[in-house]
Amino acid sequence: MAKSADDSTDFGFDTVPLRAKQGRVDEVFHSVARRYDLMNDLMSAGLHRAWKAELVRQLNPPRTRPFRHLDVAGGTGDVAFRVLDAGGPRTKATVLDINGAMLGVGRERAGRRYEGRIEFVQANAEALPFPAKPFDGYTIAFGIRNVPRIDAALAEAHRVLRPGGHFLCLEFSSVDVPGLDALYNAYSFNVIPRLGQLVAGDAESYRYLVESIRRFPKPAAFARMIEAAGFQRVAHRPLSGGVVAIHSGWKT
Ligand SMILES: C[S@@+](CC[C@H](N)C(=O)[O-])C[C@H]1O[C@@H](n2cnc3c(N)ncnc32)[C@H](O)[C@@H]1O
């Protein structure tokens, strides 16, 4: 069902009007942009690299054929760079993010390394500024949780993929390994905000991060949302005991 502007939604553990969430999310990523990559390494002990490598392995961009890829909520470009490194010279990537500060760091990181193969677009995942069907692949890593209208973002993902196109989403998930869940909770709620304060001077943003993970739909429910957007052969696979999961689907 379409949500009206008066609906409310979650912002971490808070409830906010739907129309207010994006502004709050933008403040978070504006605040952490400069320290974002360093914090990712510190918080996950480098594990986010292995998770992103697995995402790109599943995408499997071709080495010889042309491949047009869209990485949504692409932030500082991490996933797009990996797609370009894995694909051939005719692989091209668009990094799309709503936040200019995150894209600015991404542009700096890319330098001239991928000239002619990468573009950075500031836009909303809920209303992609592309015609229907130009893309062969769509990824969104640690992004969908931040989008206020997830169903709108999924519908847009489906619209911009060509038939045969591959949708992949890497997102925090639910840890259900006995023992690991308690450890993970203690780490998330105690260590991460303190680390955020120490490294990025911002505990609040990292508290939001932890809370938003807990509020995200369970993997089976999220898989149903992907199906509702029109994707086929929808599947999900937990990694690292369910700390994260890769969700996938195909446009037919
Ligand atoms: C946790 S970061 C993930 C960045 C990158 N994908 C990675 O894995 O390192 C989440 C990103 O989602 C972006 N974002 C939030 N809401 C968005 C929206 N509605 N449309 C596009 N990007 C959005 C934020 O600006 C931020 O860069």
Side-chain angles (χ1 to χ4, degrees), residues 10-250:
D10 55 274
F11 176 78
F13 287 167
D14 294 345
T15 300
V16 297
L18 191 58
R19 63 183 178 285
K21 174 164 172 167
Q22 189 69 63
R24 301 275 301 269
V25 167
D26 294 349
E27 281 168 23
V28 166
F29 289 103
H30 202 85
S31 161
V32 304
R34 286 270 146 215
R35 291 287 166 139
Y36 177 78
D37 292 298
L38 174 63
M39 271 301 285
N40 264 357
D41 271 330
L42 293 176
M43 279 185 313
S44 73
L47 267 177
H48 75 106
R49 293 167 184 261
W51 298 330
K52 287 171 180 164
E54 175 58 20
L55 179 77
V56 174
R57 193 195 65 75
Q58 288 194 23
L59 180 71
N60 194 20
R63 302 282 316 164
T64 51
R65 277 181 293 113
F67 188 80
R68 198 167 163 204
H69 187 70
L70 175 62
D71 183 45
V72 171
T76 59
D78 226 22
V79 170
F81 302 157
R82 288 164 191 275
V83 171
L84 291 172
D85 290 340
R90 294 202 286 167
T91 297
K92 296 199 168 166
T94 300
V95 183
L96 180 138
D97 199 284
I98 203 162
N99 196 308
M102 293 290 279
L103 289 174
V105 175
R107 271 195 202 94
E108 274 174 31
R109 286 181 73 197
R112 307 184 70 139
R113 194 155 51 124
Y114 301 109
E115 219 160 39
R117 298 176 67 205
I118 195 163
E119 61 170 353
F120 293 85
V121 174
Q122 187 170 1
N124 192 333
E126 296 173 0
L128 298 175
F130 308 113
K133 303 179 192 163
F135 292 103
D136 301 293
Y138 174 113
T139 46
I140 182 162
F142 307 117
I144 198 104
R145 188 181 82 247
N146 299 295
V147 173
R149 297 167 190 82
I150 293 177
D151 45 358
L154 293 173
E156 281 292 84
H158 192 264
R159 183 182 68 79
V160 300
L161 278 170
R162 66 162 175 82
H166 200 177
F167 166 88
L168 286 160
C169 173
L170 171 62
E171 190 48 89
F172 289 103
S173 194
S174 320
V175 175
D176 51 15
V177 178
L180 183 62
D181 48 358
L183 205 68
Y184 179 57
N185 272 337
Y187 175 75
S188 305
F189 286 103
N190 299 316
V191 180
I192 290 182
R194 288 203 180 113
L195 208 57
Q197 182 60 46
L198 214 67
V199 178
D202 183 351
E204 268 317 297
S205 292
Y206 284 91
R207 193 161 296 121
Y208 158 72
L209 171 95
V210 172
E211 293 178 0
S212 66
I213 293 169
R214 299 309 188 282
R215 280 295 172 95
F216 191 66
K218 296 274 179 254
F222 183 49
R224 283 195 294 277
M225 293 172 77
I226 298 170
E227 273 168 357
F231 288 102
Q232 306 285 317
R233 285 150 58 205
V234 171
H236 57 92
R237 208 179 120 203
L239 303 177
S240 305
V243 173
V244 301
I246 295 179
H247 288 258
S248 65
W250 295 85

